[in-house]
Amino acid sequence: MSEQSSDASSRPDVPPESGGGVGAEGSAEPGGAGQPASVTTHTPGPGPGPVSEPVSVSVSEPVSASVSEGPGRARAAAAPVSGPPVPPQNVGPDVPKVPAYLRPAPPVDAWQRRGQQPPGVMTRLRAASPPAIGPGTLWSVLATALLSALLLGDGLGLNLLIVAVPAALGAFFAARSAGRRLRPWTAVWALGGLMLLAVPALRDAGWPVFLAMVSALALGSLALHGSRSWPGVLLGSVGLLPSVAGGARWGWRGVRARADDSRGRVRTVARTTAVAVVLLIVFGTLFASADAAFADLLGSLTPDMSIGDSPWRVFLFVLGLLGALSAAYSAAAPVRWDGITVRPGKARNRAEWALPLIVLNLLFAVFIGLQLVVLLGGYDKVLEETGLKPAEYARQGFWQLLWATVLTLLVIALALRWAPRGKAGDRTLVRSVLGVLCVLTLVVVASALRRMDLYVDAFGLTRLRISVAAVELWLGVVLVLILAAGVFGARLLPRAVMVSAAVGVLAFGLISPDGLIAEQNVQRHGNGGTIDIEYLEGLSADAVPALNELPEPLRSCALENVQRDLGLRDAPWYATSWGEARARDILEEHPAANQGARCYDLGRDADERDGYEEEDSYDPY
């Protein structure tokens, strides 16, 4: 082969009738039938004289179809062909180059596949493609789906924690196969989620159970994704949702690959499982009919399956399957939600930024000073001038103070976005102004909780009142965390706020809010206060121990609904909470008597409550 020109446009157009390379001093050496030939030509220079430099051209067509016909023909084909040289095209210094803006645009492929399109946001944020799903993950996912179909259809209790264990194991196996290590914060989120799932096993009330389930799902998602910034923590808590479709495809590919590689073993496992199930059914039926105690034990351990709830069981199977696959897929290929960054706003100068906040601090200080005057002795005077009852004064102020706390947190977030941040003096100003605002807001939180305490003393504790008081208390904890971040740094603030929320939900479930409501109202009645039996009889089984202390006929009127519900409910052990089991034992030992129409007149002489509700005759909370 001769030397090749550096310019790709210097290839000559070879006439088809030439049958190979042509030139005054060129040569062509065929490489055999169907092999390309190399042609060397000499290009004339710009002026008179001999030819300048050789140009090498590779022709992809066969030199001649008659090469294989015999040696004579091959030698004839290899002989040089006489004739004038073919001048090359677009070669030489006089040929102008076409500018880039005048060149035609490359053709656009209208049928471009989706995989060749620019990657989307989720593709950029996801760490990498997960490895093939392993056998440990597959078996854990299948166990989660089966347990979901068998146990969750009967209710919620300890079964929720039982279902979560194989799902967590599947995620652990997937993370280990992907090379991920267990980090401290991952362990914190995982253990916190499992602890929150203990609330359904302890409490019968639906509202703390729902909060615990949602919080456990959020902590589990954070454990899989490992986020630390504000966007990462907020989006990572719901990060399992984008992994549902990807996890299903990932699991299906793994099942197909393993089924293709081990068809014989799959058939063996299927036959073995079928034989084992038949033996269990046959001998279990015989032993159950032979011994009543064994029949009771077998009945308590075996889930109650019926044809009527088959669609519901199928739905729970699919839900458990997709949930476990999503968790394992996220563990193997997590989405890095921390990659979403929120740019800070344009920094303002000191006067423009600090003046509104200083005015707000002065307003808070005036309000807090007035509250101190009221608490030190002007309370009766304020009530006399306004004409309000103590409970009305407390209720009127609590909601406004609650919203003031929420809006203060919003003001702090916006102020940090536009805060001056150029010099050390700017940072000192930000910490001072926002620190004073946080301290004053903490006093507002204390005032709001004090007003709620007065309101509860007047009308009793209810679900709404204990809920909003818990929210106000948590907002105070968030303010304390913001103050700590201003002193020690804000790197851990997002995760600290999430931990405080999870601890609050766990504590809220463990204190048994329905039991606390019943206990406070029973104690208030014992001190001479009024009691609302119509409201208390709508509480869950968690309130039975406290309501059992009421005198008759108030006790029977408060417990008749719970006793009727427990009699109609026949849940197995794994779907029965500890609060429900304790209430069942109490009512079996001391059942509530049927009081008939007497219950409609009891507990409705709450003069203070009825006088307060002249404008609104119904207050379920």
Side-chain angles (χ1 to χ4, degrees):
M1 296 291 291
S2 58
E3 283 187 338
Q4 296 183 356
S5 172
S6 60
D7 191 355
S9 62
S10 62
R11 298 178 179 178
D13 294 335
V14 180
E17 64 272 8
S18 63
V22 197
E25 301 178 29
S27 64
E29 297 179 359
Q35 298 297 323
S38 177
V39 181
T40 303
T41 61
H42 293 270
T43 58
V51 293
S52 57
E53 63 177 300
V55 178
S56 175
V57 179
S58 179
V59 183
S60 60
E61 291 81 11
V63 175
S64 175
S66 61
V67 174
S68 60
E69 295 180 2
R73 298 235 178 190
R75 286 192 297 270
V81 180
S82 60
V86 179
Q89 299 179 2
N90 300 329
V91 176
D94 295 336
V95 178
K97 294 184 178 180
V98 180
Y101 63 88
L102 293 179
R103 296 174 186 172
V108 179
D109 187 5
W111 301 97
Q112 189 179 16
R113 293 184 300 176
R114 180 177 299 179
Q116 299 175 349
Q117 294 177 355
V121 177
M122 295 302 301
T123 306
R124 294 194 302 268
L125 293 178
R126 196 172 291 278
S129 298
I133 188 170
T137 304
L138 279 176
W139 285 113
S140 300
V141 168
L142 181 60
T144 304
L146 290 175
L147 290 175
S148 299
L150 295 176
L151 304 183
L152 296 183
D154 298 318
L156 297 180
L158 187 62
N159 51 5
L160 201 59
L161 189 59
I162 295 174
V163 171
V165 170
L169 286 177
F172 171 75
F173 292 144
R176 188 177 61 178
S177 64
R180 296 186 65 188
R181 296 179 301 171
L182 181 63
R183 299 182 180 274
W185 275 103
T186 302
V188 169
W189 301 131
L191 292 177
L194 292 177
M195 291 175 63
L196 284 168
L197 290 181
V199 175
L202 298 175
R203 301 298 170 224
D204 182 60
W207 52 303
V209 168
F210 175 76
L211 290 176
M213 290 173 55
V214 173
S215 301
L217 185 63
L219 292 189
S221 182
L222 286 175
L224 297 173
H225 294 91
S227 302
R228 61 175 61 90
S229 62
W230 281 113
V233 170
L234 295 178
L235 296 176
S237 59
V238 293
L240 283 179
L241 297 179
S243 300
V244 174
R249 292 192 298 268
W250 179 58
W252 176 248
R253 288 194 300 266
V255 170
R256 287 187 58 184
R258 294 190 174 275
D260 293 339
D261 295 340
S262 57
R263 292 187 181 275
R265 283 181 292 176
V266 171
R267 287 192 294 267
T268 302
V269 171
R271 287 195 300 267
T272 305
T273 305
V275 172
V277 170
V278 170
L279 292 177
L280 286 175
I281 292 175
V282 172
F283 286 94
T285 304
L286 291 175
F287 290 152
S289 60
D291 192 343
F294 183 79
D296 293 338
L297 177 62
L298 190 63
S300 62
L301 295 178
T302 305
D304 185 13
M305 301 288 291
S306 60
I307 299 178
D309 59 353
S310 296
W312 174 240
R313 303 279 182 177
V314 171
F315 172 76
L316 291 175
F317 178 87
V318 175
L319 184 63
L321 183 70
L322 293 178
L325 282 175
S326 302
Y329 184 72
S330 298
V335 179
R336 302 302 184 187
W337 297 105
D338 289 332
I340 300 177
T341 57
V342 180
R343 296 180 180 179
K346 182 180 178 181
R348 308 295 179 179
N349 58 56
R350 295 185 182 183
E352 182 182 2
W353 179 86
L355 185 59
L357 294 178
I358 293 175
V359 173
L360 183 63
N361 286 340
L362 293 176
L363 179 62
F364 271 67
V366 172
F367 176 79
I368 291 171
L370 180 61
Q371 296 297 302
L372 293 176
V373 171
V374 171
L375 292 177
L376 291 177
Y379 186 67
D380 295 334
K381 183 178 180 180
V382 171
L383 296 180
E384 181 181 355
E385 293 179 354
T386 58
L388 299 175
K389 295 180 180 180
E392 292 174 338
Y393 178 77
R395 186 180 190 274
Q396 186 183 35
F398 173 80
W399 292 102
Q400 288 83 346
L401 297 182
L402 176 63
W403 280 110
T405 307
V406 174
L407 292 177
T408 301
L409 291 175
L410 180 61
V411 168
I412 292 174
L414 295 177
L416 289 174
R417 178 174 175 81
W418 291 302
R421 46 184 177 271
K423 303 177 182 178
D426 295 334
R427 292 190 291 270
T428 302
L429 176 65
V430 171
R431 291 177 179 178
S432 302
V433 174
L434 295 184
V436 172
L437 182 60
C438 289
V439 172
L440 295 177
T441 309
L442 282 175
V443 180
V444 172
V445 170
S447 177
L449 292 175
R450 174 56 181 164
R451 286 172 182 256
M452 177 55 69
D453 184 55
L454 294 174
Y455 187 59
V456 168
D457 287 341
F459 296 121
L461 191 61
T462 63
R463 288 176 172 177
L464 179 62
R465 294 164 196 167
I466 193 175
S467 299
V468 295
V471 171
E472 182 73 18
L473 184 61
W474 175 69
L475 293 177
V477 173
V478 173
L479 288 170
V480 173
L481 293 176
I482 293 175
L483 284 172
V487 177
F488 302 104
R491 186 174 62 90
L492 297 177
L493 181 59
R495 289 183 285 191
V497 171
M498 181 60 70
V499 168
S500 68
V503 171
V505 172
L506 180 61
F508 190 71
L510 293 180
I511 65 173
S512 181
D514 275 12
L516 190 61
I517 292 169
E519 183 179 352
Q520 193 273 342
N521 281 273
V522 170
Q523 183 179 3
R524 180 171 171 272
H525 175 71
N527 294 332
T530 58
I531 190 170
D532 189 355
I533 293 297
E534 183 181 5
Y535 180 82
L536 295 179
E537 66 185 11
L539 298 177
S540 65
D542 297 333
V544 170
L547 296 179
N548 191 51
E549 303 296 328
L550 286 172
E552 293 289 353
L554 292 176
R555 174 187 174 275
S556 295
C557 291
L559 295 177
E560 61 178 1
N561 286 341
V562 178
Q563 181 173 277
R564 182 174 59 253
D565 293 340
L566 292 179
L568 297 176
R569 190 186 310 172
D570 188 17
W573 62 272
Y574 50 79
T576 302
S577 64
W578 178 70
E580 181 180 349
R582 183 178 56 172
R584 195 184 299 274
D585 293 339
I586 292 175
L587 292 176
E588 286 179 356
E589 185 177 357
H590 302 287
N594 186 10
Q595 299 294 333
R598 294 184 60 187
C599 296
Y600 289 98
D601 299 328
L602 291 174
R604 287 169 174 80
D605 54 349
D607 298 333
E608 197 171 330
R609 186 174 189 270
D610 293 339
Y612 171 69
E613 293 180 350
E614 290 179 357
E615 297 181 0
D616 187 3
S617 59
Y618 180 67
D619 182 9
Y621 299 108

